[in-house]
Amino acid sequence: MLRDVRIDFPRVCQICFDEDPHMDWRWGLGTVARCDKHNALLLDSCPNCHEKYQWHTSLIKGCSNCGLAWQQLAEETKLSIPAMSPIEKMLLPDESGQIAATDSDIRNICRSLVRAARPYDILQESLQRIPFSHMHSELLLNALERIESPWTHSIVTERNEYIRPFRRKLCLDNDTQQYRFHIGYRELANHLSITTTDLRVATKANAFPRLNPRVTNVRDQIFDLRVVNKILHKFEGHLTMANAKSVTLSPRSKALTQGSISYGHVLTSVLNQELVGYFPMEGNYSLITVKVEDLDSWLKDQT
Ligand SMILES: [Zn+2]
Ligand SMILES: [Zn+2]
């Protein structure tokens, strides 16, 4: 989910900066939430004025925006510092760079971090780097909490910084809830219970409108789940076939495999109303019922 766990914005421990201003290289890792000497949460922005800290020598004194000194912050912080959890300790490399966490632990944590940043999204978006968002350390602790106690994690605000810019452009009115309905190619295939190959046939024929129609790479194609569902619901089990003999097709139906015709073609023809058919089971799009005589002539047209 994340190509690189290094962050490019400064984070500091206010107690270290008060006692002996220095930077620890480990604070530049997005998987580290605290200074191991004081257990204090690393700060990337001023708790008083919320201004993002900059790489500047003035940082030694405190916030360059509101003037809040490290000493003042350090005293307040010392009053309530929780202990590091086992997972946090595992993620903290020693000074020589040795780390207890495995590659798979780090991958899980990256996945959880992206999930914690956008908890309500369907689309699982991968990112090159960890973007700046106010108090990254809190987000990380939330991501770790999601792993340690999956059923009790606290509700957090969504961090739009974790949405890739090209997706942001798809929501012109900047309605941040719209992003939650973005669905990617793979997720859509899962939703329909069909293969990505079958979905490709349907999307090529515009059976589902894309939010970014000019994008040719299927992996970057994005759909609005609300629009997709509206289309599908029109074809859900309510069509009367008036005494006509009908047949229900699935991706493995002999009628299709014999003629080397993919299920995606049937789905496309039904959605584009070239073949009369419906989904006999609500919410299951890997079954389509059509009239036998319609199917016969449709199959002839395909070959
Ligand atoms: Zn410290
Ligand atoms: Zn400030």
Side-chain angles (χ1 to χ4, degrees):
M1 297 301 277
L2 292 165
R3 280 270 175 102
D4 198 336
V5 295
R6 287 171 298 177
I7 52 172
D8 59 4
F9 46 90
R11 287 195 304 163
V12 297
C13 162
Q14 61 272 48
I15 309 175
C16 282
F17 262 48
D18 177 38
E19 291 171 356
D20 162 33
H22 72 278
M23 283 275 188
D24 186 318
W25 66 269
R26 296 172 294 180
W27 300 349
L29 297 174
T31 45
V32 170
R34 298 195 248 178
C35 152
D36 67 327
K37 194 173 164 200
H38 301 105
N39 276 1
L41 266 196
L42 298 170
L43 302 179
D44 49 52
S45 37
C46 173
N48 183 43
C49 70
H50 304 292
E51 189 77 8
K52 178 184 175 185
Y53 291 145
Q54 302 292 341
W55 290 109
H56 193 270
T57 47
S58 63
L59 194 60
I60 290 177
K61 289 187 192 138
C63 174
S64 62
N65 187 49
C66 73
L68 184 70
W70 295 121
Q71 190 189 4
Q72 207 180 329
L73 257 179
E75 313 247 292
E76 283 168 27
T77 312
K78 280 177 194 166
L79 297 174
S80 59
I81 294 182
M84 271 198 199
S85 71
I87 194 166
E88 273 192 86
K89 284 185 190 155
M90 184 182 85
L91 281 168
L92 184 80
D94 65 19
E95 277 168 16
S96 69
Q98 294 296 312
I99 187 165
T102 62
D103 284 357
S104 125
D105 292 331
I106 308 261
R107 270 197 295 274
N108 277 342
I109 280 138
C110 289
R111 189 177 306 279
S112 187
L113 188 69
V114 175
R115 208 77 190 107
R118 300 285 314 165
Y120 309 110
D121 284 4
I122 303 162
L123 190 69
Q124 299 282 295
E125 195 168 27
S126 59
L127 295 166
Q128 293 289 326
R129 297 198 77 127
I130 294 172
F132 171 84
S133 69
H134 187 68
M135 279 308 283
H136 171 76
S137 303
E138 279 174 4
L139 174 69
L140 176 63
L141 288 189
N142 185 267
L144 301 182
E145 188 193 343
R146 290 174 77 95
I147 294 173
E148 288 170 313
S149 39
W151 307 109
T152 59
H153 53 240
S154 37
I155 304 293
V156 290
T157 46
E158 291 167 300
R159 298 189 180 217
N160 292 343
E161 295 87 348
Y162 279 73
I163 296 170
R164 272 151 73 176
F166 84 93
R167 265 181 79 200
R168 276 185 231 164
K169 282 187 204 144
L170 301 178
C171 296
L172 292 175
D173 53 1
N174 222 11
D175 169 8
T176 52
Q177 294 215 357
Q178 265 187 303
Y179 300 121
R180 298 181 192 172
F181 300 101
H182 283 181
I183 185 166
Y185 201 71
R186 244 165 229 291
E187 293 94 352
L188 181 55
N190 281 341
H191 174 60
L192 300 171
S193 311
I194 62 172
T195 62
T196 48
T197 319
D198 282 336
L199 180 60
R200 192 178 307 212
V201 175
T203 50
K204 252 191 173 174
N206 294 321
F208 302 109
R210 278 167 271 165
L211 287 172
N212 48 354
R214 284 197 208 145
V215 170
T216 48
N217 186 354
V218 287
R219 277 183 305 174
D220 290 330
Q221 290 177 356
I222 293 180
F223 307 83
D224 185 319
L225 187 61
R226 294 167 297 186
V227 176
V228 169
N229 280 341
K230 211 171 164 188
I231 293 170
L232 293 169
H233 291 167
K234 279 197 281 184
F235 298 91
E236 273 182 358
H238 48 61
L239 198 74
T240 48
M241 293 245 170
N243 300 333
K245 238 179 122 188
S246 66
V247 58
T248 297
L249 300 167
S250 80
R252 277 182 294 270
S253 289
K254 266 199 182 147
L256 302 177
T257 50
Q258 273 171 355
S260 308
I261 293 163
S262 77
Y263 182 76
H265 281 106
V266 185
L267 180 69
T268 307
S269 292
V270 168
L271 296 179
N272 287 347
Q273 300 186 321
E274 295 146 13
L275 174 67
V276 178
Y278 67 95
F279 305 111
M281 282 170 69
E282 234 172 80
N284 183 343
Y285 309 108
S286 59
L287 290 176
I288 294 177
T289 302
V290 293
K291 280 190 214 168
V292 172
E293 55 176 299
D294 283 358
L295 178 67
D296 288 343
S297 58
W298 181 82
L299 284 171
K300 263 182 216 145
D301 288 347
Q302 305 302 307
T303 47

